[in-house]
Structure formats: structure tokens, C-alpha cells
Amino acid sequence: MEENQDIKNLITEISITEGDGFNYQEEIIKKDLLLNEDQPGLLIKVISILGGFWACITFFGFLMLAGLYESENGMIIIGAIFYIAVIIGNRYIKNIVLDTASVSTYLVAIGLIGFALIQREVELNYVFIIMILLAVITVIVTESKVLNFIAILIFSGHIQALIIYNEANNLLHVYNIVYVGFTTFVLMNEAKIISFSKKMNELYSPLRIGLLFSLVGGFVFLGVKGIFDTEIAYVWVTSGVIVLLVLYFVYKVIISLKINNSKTRLALLISSALILLPSIFAPAICGAVLIILLTYHQKYKTGLGLGIISLIYFIIQFYYDLELKLIEKSIILFLSGVLFIVAYVFIKRILLKGDHSDIKS
Amino acid sequence: MKLRKTLFMKLSRNQIQTVSKFSNLEEKNVNSLLKKNVYASESDWIRFIKIGLLGLGAAFTLSGIVFFFAYNWNDMHKFFKLALNMSIIIAGVSAILFVKFNLTVNKIILTGISILIGVFLAVFGQIYQTGANSFDFFLGWAIFIVIWVLISDFPPLWLIFIILLNTTFITYTQQYGTDWEFEMILNVLFLINVIILTLLIFLHSKTILKNLPEWFSKTIAIFSISAITLSLIIGVSDNYSHTVLISIGLALFLYVPGMYYGIKKRNLFYLAIIPFSIILVIASLLLRITDEAVADMYLIVSLFTIGSITLLIRQIISLRKKWKVINNNEKIIHTN
């Protein structure tokens, strides 16, 4: 089969460039790659997701109608049983529909536990903490990419819920700063993480997309004015941190692309800082720019799409909230547009005639 | 060890990840593999900066202009508003006729001015307060652009036009208060779209119509099937009426040829969504059979769903494999 030959070629190529000492488990690699090549089409995925979801809903409808609704303890027990079954059983499920149904089951199990706890009037903070623990356990135990992704979202969401519920809104900035830092680290150190251990290798994809979504979620709370009031000073701190991270990233890329001309280096760094300056009041916008830069560097399409959509959304949100007259807004928008176009023409000129000593062909 | 030529086959991120998982590659090796095969290069970054600046520049300038008009809208003289709209349309037409743009750009401009015709009619209606008669608006819009749509050979414009036709029909039923039930409306929508789709497929097969992209026919097919499926589900769940019999008749009349078409053309899409629709309808029927919400029936439905969809997917996957082989064999025969 041609696919086998492709894989053999691949491994041979890598062995040659890596030299001796390259140890690999050939059979498993072959099997894994073949499995990935044979992915069912989008159509099948959509049908199995819808079907799995529907099957799960009706199943829990059955449970509820059979009397589960009456008993909170029952809900907790059933929820716990299904939770454990899903995170452990996920390795052994081969049926496509059950695979997607396991995701819905997981969500409903978590929902049941949460719902039951609230019905029993447990203090909300404890409910949040239990959810966070469940998410952490999921990440540790399960290999499934989808479940890990959902668990990361649950984790981040409940941390934010904790902050908001206890009215410590300024901590939202701490949340954002921590997440921004961690996301930057993860996106800039792909090699380090996936070569660290098998578990980390499997965890990398869901971690990356989960962090990005959690980050954008955090920005939404800051970006939409008036949802949560925080001190203005802290807004500056968050934006400042993000700008610093952007500069750090630009610096790293400059080094890795071997751009040696120090004038060029300085020009790039300064212009990056200048472009971000107008959005210093909106950490969400700076953050979206950072996401776009990081994901483009990795050529990570999904993340890039997310970054672009959130940038558009946050910019629109920002201008919408701006308390200026329409005419003033239109002037600002128009002038910014002209500025960008001027910058474009300027850069095009520089690249066309400028000094090519540092540009590899 | 002799060094051969460097990698000429580009690895994917997935492959690098898998190899890294099951071997002892070190971080710096993985890093260099990624940099060589996956990560953005210098020319990528240059393109990024160019597209980014241009895109942002265009978007901001355009929004600035739009905001300016929005601010002054109420104070603008009515002739000015209409004249502005019409002059953009005229500019578009002139651009197509007199400027040698390439074909795709012309088609995009044509789509733009087709939409602007609608905007023009809307502004007209707003100025002269013609009343909330949306049927006339959509009908007029459709009639005015039908010639452009037919000559355009541009599927996105066709799609917009089909949406327009559907909207015209829906507003007709709302405005002229027929006593058609909701399901009947859905049935007619299904019929209209299926007729259009069949016509297009037929013309395409006779090579009268050269360009019929997959995404286009699939979109229409999905919309039509959703309409009839919804109609059947409602018909089955409510009190039985004559309408549901018509729905079932329509569905049978068109599903069978649909499946046949799928088998003949080896197109998995129709063979997947038609059975999926049937499964959904049967599931609703099962739920309806018991008058109140009986717990056991939910369990049955749940198991039925898992079973039937698994069966469907297994069939699709095996058909896919079988057809892949047949397609490959055909390719070999053709090239010999």
C-alpha cells in the first residue's frame, strides 16, 4: 500500500537527518499515522456528533423521568458513576457514535453533579472547587483530546466564576495575566512540551486550544465594558504585560530568523510597540494581537482563526462602547485606516529596495 | 553515514508529533523539524505584515466612511441618498464593462451591485414610507436581479438569489395570510429547492451548465432535507392531519431517486443525509407513539439512535472504502 511506503520514507528521512542514536518504535508509529490518515470525513463526524448528542439527551431524559429528578443523592451517584466510566472507559471505546456520546455523557454527568449539589444548597464556592477538582482529575486520567479540551474550559470557567462570585473583580486581571503568560509559554515551546513525555505529547493539542479559548473568555469579561468594574490602573498593568510579551515574542522571532542588522531589529521592535500603543486601554485588543502573532508563528490555523475573530469582535466592541459622537468616531476610524495604509506603502517600499543583506531568499 | 539530499517531503505537524511521541527525539531536534516543516518562515512573516496592514487599513478606512454616512443620514436630502446608491451601482456596472478586470473580480462586483439593488429598494421604501410590505420588496429585488444572476455563472450569487426566492415565498405566505399550516410551507420550500437543485444537476450532467460546485449543491440539499425533515417531525408529533400524508408522499417521491442518484454517482453525501433524516423522523415517531412522556420509550429511542447511526456510519465507511478502490481502478484504466 502506498501509505505504508510514505511512512517508511518519512522515518528513513528523519533517521538520516538525525543520525545514529535515533530510537523509535516503528510499528506503533506506523499504526498511529495510518489511523490518522484514515480520518472519517466531516460529514460522518457531524452525523455522529448529532446522533451521539441526541442519544445522550434521550438517555438522561429516561433517567430523569424514571425518578432521578426526585433524588439529589441519586443524581450525584449516577453522575459520579458516569463521570468515572467516561474518563476511564474512553480508552476502550471503538464505536464512533459511543465515542461522541461519551462527550455528551461527560457533560451531562458533570451537569448532574453540579445541579444536585446546588439543589442541596451546598455553598457555591465549594461547588466551584469541586468542579475544578473534577476537571483536574479528568486531565490527569483521560487521553481523549476532546475531553481534555472540555475539562480545561471547565477549569478556567470555574476559576473565573469563583472570582466573580466573590466580587474580587480585580483578580480577573491576575487571571488574564497568568493565562496570557502561560499561553505564550505553551505556544512558544511546542518542541519542549511534546518531547517531554507521552502524556504531555498527547495533552499538547487540547491544552493549546483550551488555553486559547479560556484566554479569549477572560478577555470578554474585561473587554465588554460595564460587565465588571475594575480599577483603571490594573487595566494598564494587564495591557503592559501583554505588550511586553509581544515584544519578547518579536525579539525571539527576530533571533530565530537570523535577522542580524541591528537597525532592522530595532525598527521592528519599535514599530510593534507603536502599533499596540493606541490599544493600551483595551487589553483585549492587545491580547488578540498576541494570539494572532503566536498562532501565525506556529501556523496553527484554528488558533489563528480564533485570534482574528476575537480581534474583530473586540475592536468592534471597543468602538461601540466609546462614548464619542458618531462623527468623532468616524474621523478616528478613517485616520487610523489611512495610517495603516501609509504604513503598508512605506513597508512595501522598504522591502522592495531596502537592504537585502539580512533577507534570505 | 552518507548524507542524502535534504528532506523534500514536507512533514505535517501531526506526523512530527507522532514520531516524537514514540521515539527518543530530543527537544532541539523536534524544534528544528518543526521550524523546517511547519513554522512560519521569513517570507511568511512579510506576507503577514503586508496583508495585515492592508486589511486593517481597508477595514478602518471603510468603516470611517460608513460611520460618516451614518452620522449624516438623517440630514441628507432624499435625492442624495438615492443618487449615492445608484451612482455606486453605475460605477460597478461601468467597472465591469470598461475596465479589464479578471473574471472573478467582475463576478464579485456583480454580486456586490446585486446586493446594492436591494439596498436601493430598501432606502426607497424607507424614504417614501411605502409601508411594511416586505413581500413586494423581496419580489421586486428578485425580479430586478434575475438576469444578472443567470448570466453570472457565479455560485455564491446563485445562492444569494435562491435565499431571496425562499424569503419571497415566506413573506408571501405571511402577507397574504393563506391558511397553510407551518408544515405545508416547509413542504413547498422543500419542493422549490429540490426542483432548482434537480434542474441544475440535470443541466450540469448535459454539460449545458459547466460549473456546479459541490458546496453549492450540498448546501441546497441540506436546506431542503432539513425543511422536509422538520415538516415530517412536526407532522408526526402533532395530531395527524392530511398535511403529514402529503409530506410523507413528497419525501418518498424524492428520497428514493435521491438515494438512487447517490449510488449511481457514488456520492456518499445523499446516501448519508437521507437515512439520517429518516432516523430522526422514526425517533420522533417513537416518542409520539406513547402519549405522555414515558420513561421507557426514551430509553428505547436512545438505544435505537445509537444502533441505527452506528449502522449508518459503518455502511458509509465500508462504501467509501469500496468506492475508493473502484475510483482508483478507473483512474488506472483511463490513464492506460
Side-chain angles (χ1 to χ4, degrees):
Chain A
M1 246 208 318
E2 2 168 305
E3 286 150 351
N4 251 329
Q5 195 52 37
D6 279 336
I7 296 174
K8 242 181 164 345
N9 286 338
L10 196 156
I11 299 188
T12 324
E13 298 280 6
I14 300 184
S15 334
I16 289 180
T17 44
E18 294 310 319
D20 304 317
F22 174 50
N23 230 330
Y24 56 92
Q25 300 168 276
E26 177 158 356
E27 281 313 309
I28 303 187
I29 293 185
K30 274 206 197 127
K31 201 180 76 161
D32 212 59
L33 285 174
L34 265 179
L35 204 65
N36 284 330
E37 303 287 323
D38 213 22
Q39 279 293 326
L42 181 66
L43 182 64
I44 296 184
K45 277 209 195 118
V46 169
I47 291 186
S48 66
I49 289 178
L50 289 176
F53 185 67
W54 174 243
C56 178
I57 296 266
T58 44
F59 182 70
F60 277 94
F62 158 68
L63 287 179
M64 286 306 212
L65 287 171
L68 198 60
Y69 190 70
E70 315 289 322
S71 149
E72 283 110 22
N73 287 332
M75 282 197 262
I76 297 185
I77 294 179
I78 298 273
I81 293 179
F82 276 108
Y83 170 80
I84 297 178
V86 168
I87 63 178
I88 296 185
N90 207 273
R91 303 177 191 228
Y92 307 111
I93 294 186
K94 296 289 178 250
N95 180 326
I96 290 189
V97 182
L98 279 184
D99 197 32
T100 46
S102 71
V103 176
S104 329
T105 315
Y106 178 82
L107 287 171
V108 179
I110 300 257
L112 272 182
I113 297 179
F115 181 66
L117 287 174
I118 295 179
Q119 291 287 85
R120 284 178 119 247
E121 296 183 11
V122 174
E123 161 69 22
L124 219 50
N125 281 326
Y126 292 140
V127 178
F128 292 151
I129 294 182
I130 293 179
M131 290 289 137
I132 292 178
L133 276 174
L134 286 176
V136 171
I137 296 177
T138 309
V139 170
I140 296 179
V141 172
T142 200
E143 290 176 343
S144 155
K145 295 199 164 149
V146 184
L147 285 182
N148 276 321
F149 168 63
I150 294 180
I152 293 177
L153 289 183
I154 292 181
F155 178 81
S156 316
H158 282 93
I159 290 191
Q160 285 185 291
L162 265 177
I163 296 179
I164 295 172
Y165 178 68
N166 290 303
E167 296 189 9
N169 292 343
N170 293 326
L171 283 180
L172 281 178
H173 286 291
V174 176
Y175 170 90
N176 275 310
I177 293 180
V178 168
Y179 266 81
V180 151
F182 195 49
T183 310
T184 312
F185 173 77
V186 167
L187 282 173
M188 288 181 74
N189 287 300
E190 181 170 7
K192 181 180 279 185
I193 297 179
I194 64 177
S195 56
F196 187 72
S197 75
K198 275 206 190 129
K199 175 71 183 169
M200 278 290 130
N201 188 305
E202 285 164 7
L203 198 49
Y204 187 75
S205 278
L207 184 65
R208 183 174 52 183
I209 187 68
L211 279 179
L212 284 174
F213 267 95
S214 309
L215 191 59
V216 172
F219 285 142
V220 166
F221 285 131
L222 280 187
V224 181
K225 197 181 213 176
I227 286 195
F228 302 110
D229 296 315
T230 60
E231 305 261 341
I232 293 288
Y234 295 145
V235 174
W236 286 44
V237 171
T238 313
S239 305
V241 169
I242 297 180
V243 172
L244 283 175
L245 283 172
V246 169
L247 292 177
Y248 171 69
F249 168 76
V250 173
Y251 181 66
K252 273 284 163 121
V253 170
I254 289 179
I255 292 187
S256 103
L257 290 180
K258 301 195 175 46
I259 297 178
N260 291 317
N261 182 333
S262 58
K263 263 200 280 186
T264 321
R265 283 192 189 185
L266 207 58
L268 283 171
L269 282 172
I270 292 187
S271 41
S272 316
L274 280 179
I275 293 184
L276 286 178
L277 208 60
S279 48
I280 198 88
F281 290 110
I285 298 182
C286 305
V289 171
L290 181 61
I291 293 179
I292 291 180
L293 289 174
L294 288 170
T295 50
Y296 186 78
H297 164 70
Q298 269 208 359
K299 291 284 190 76
Y300 178 46
K301 293 211 174 105
T302 314
L304 185 62
L306 180 65
I308 294 179
I309 294 179
S310 33
L311 181 68
I312 295 178
Y313 171 73
F314 287 134
I315 291 184
I316 293 181
Q317 186 69 51
F318 180 70
Y319 276 101
Y320 186 74
D321 289 336
L322 216 50
E323 283 164 23
L324 296 170
K325 293 214 286 259
L326 272 178
I327 186 82
E328 291 167 2
K329 284 189 199 181
S330 74
I331 295 181
I332 296 181
L333 284 173
F334 187 75
L335 286 178
S336 323
V338 169
L339 206 77
F340 282 125
I341 295 189
V342 165
Y344 167 73
V345 170
F346 194 58
I347 290 203
K348 213 166 171 205
R349 281 245 203 96
I350 292 190
L351 289 174
L352 270 181
K353 72 164 178 160
D355 107 92
H356 286 263
S357 59
D358 44 3
I359 298 182
K360 283 201 274 246
S361 53
Chain B
M1 189 181 242
K2 258 207 221 140
L3 256 155
R4 258 189 13 193
K5 294 188 283 214
T6 46
L7 287 173
F8 54 82
M9 187 177 83
K10 244 193 178 194
L11 299 171
S12 77
R13 161 181 267 124
N14 210 10
Q15 290 166 329
I16 298 181
Q17 205 166 0
T18 310
V19 174
S20 160
K21 182 172 171 185
F22 294 114
S23 64
N24 67 345
L25 279 178
E26 281 180 9
E27 173 193 348
K28 56 175 165 50
N29 298 334
V30 178
N31 207 5
S32 69
L33 274 176
L34 283 170
K35 277 216 290 229
K36 258 191 272 183
N37 290 287
V38 180
Y39 285 176
S41 63
E42 173 152 354
S43 51
D44 285 326
W45 277 113
I46 294 181
R47 212 171 64 183
F48 174 80
I49 295 179
K50 281 207 217 152
I51 296 183
L53 284 179
L54 196 60
L56 280 175
F60 271 77
T61 322
L62 211 61
S63 349
I65 297 178
V66 168
F67 267 68
F68 180 75
F69 278 109
Y71 172 71
N72 288 313
W73 193 250
N74 287 330
D75 301 325
M76 278 197 261
H77 192 259
K78 56 189 175 193
F79 285 163
F80 183 67
K81 292 183 198 177
L82 292 173
L84 181 67
N85 202 317
M86 196 41 82
S87 36
I88 304 182
I89 297 179
I90 295 180
V93 175
S94 320
I96 294 180
L97 290 176
F98 302 124
V99 181
K100 296 260 179 292
F101 284 127
N102 79 39
L103 200 55
T104 315
V105 174
N106 275 345
K107 291 180 184 180
I108 296 180
I109 298 180
L110 191 59
T111 311
I113 54 180
S114 303
I115 297 181
L116 280 172
I117 295 248
V119 174
F120 180 82
L121 289 175
V123 170
F124 190 87
Q126 185 213 36
I127 294 177
Y128 293 103
Q129 297 292 313
T130 53
N133 197 348
S134 27
F135 169 62
D136 288 342
F137 168 64
F138 285 113
L139 186 64
W141 189 358
I143 293 180
F144 281 138
I145 67 174
V146 73
I147 297 183
W148 280 351
V149 171
L150 288 176
I151 65 168
S152 71
D153 191 35
F154 192 47
L157 183 56
W158 295 344
L159 192 62
I160 294 178
F161 186 66
I162 292 180
I163 296 177
L164 202 52
L165 286 177
N166 280 290
T167 319
T168 311
F169 173 69
I170 295 177
T171 47
Y172 172 76
T173 58
Q174 289 185 331
Q175 208 99 30
Y176 294 98
T178 55
D179 337 292
W180 285 355
E181 296 151 336
F182 186 53
E183 296 114 85
M184 199 53 194
I185 300 181
L186 286 172
N187 288 347
V188 176
L189 282 178
F190 169 65
L191 203 58
I192 295 178
N193 289 304
V194 165
I195 291 179
I196 295 179
L197 183 62
T198 319
L199 193 66
L200 289 175
I201 292 182
F202 177 69
L203 289 176
H204 181 62
S205 67
K206 298 285 178 215
T207 59
I208 299 178
L209 185 69
K210 297 216 179 42
N211 183 20
L212 187 64
E214 278 291 303
W215 64 263
F216 179 73
S217 30
K218 280 185 185 173
T219 310
I220 302 200
I222 290 184
F223 179 67
S224 322
I225 295 213
S226 312
I228 189 72
T229 310
L230 192 59
S231 162
L232 281 169
I233 292 181
I234 296 180
V236 158
S237 319
D238 274 344
N239 300 318
Y240 298 106
S241 64
H242 293 305
T243 322
V244 78
L245 295 174
I246 301 182
S247 314
I248 297 182
L250 263 181
L252 280 175
F253 183 62
L254 287 162
Y255 274 6
V256 172
M259 294 287 281
Y260 180 68
Y261 175 74
I263 296 180
K264 199 141 178 274
K265 291 284 174 185
R266 293 195 218 119
N267 190 336
L268 276 172
F269 182 72
Y270 297 98
L271 290 180
I273 55 175
I274 294 181
F276 184 60
S277 156
I278 297 179
I279 293 177
L280 283 179
V281 174
I282 296 182
S284 320
L285 184 62
L286 284 175
L287 284 178
R288 169 74 176 89
I289 285 182
T290 58
D291 276 323
E292 306 154 356
V294 171
D296 298 331
M297 189 47 80
Y298 275 79
L299 183 62
I300 297 181
V301 170
S302 170
L303 293 172
F304 164 72
T305 312
I306 296 183
S308 56
I309 295 197
T310 309
L311 210 70
L312 175 64
I313 293 185
R314 288 233 177 99
Q315 280 298 96
I316 294 182
I317 293 185
S318 79
L319 270 178
R320 208 155 157 252
K321 285 207 183 106
K322 205 167 66 176
W323 287 346
K324 211 170 172 187
V325 175
I326 298 183
N327 279 338
N328 280 340
N329 288 341
E330 277 184 357
K331 271 198 207 137
I332 297 176
I333 295 177
H334 277 294
T335 54
N336 280 348

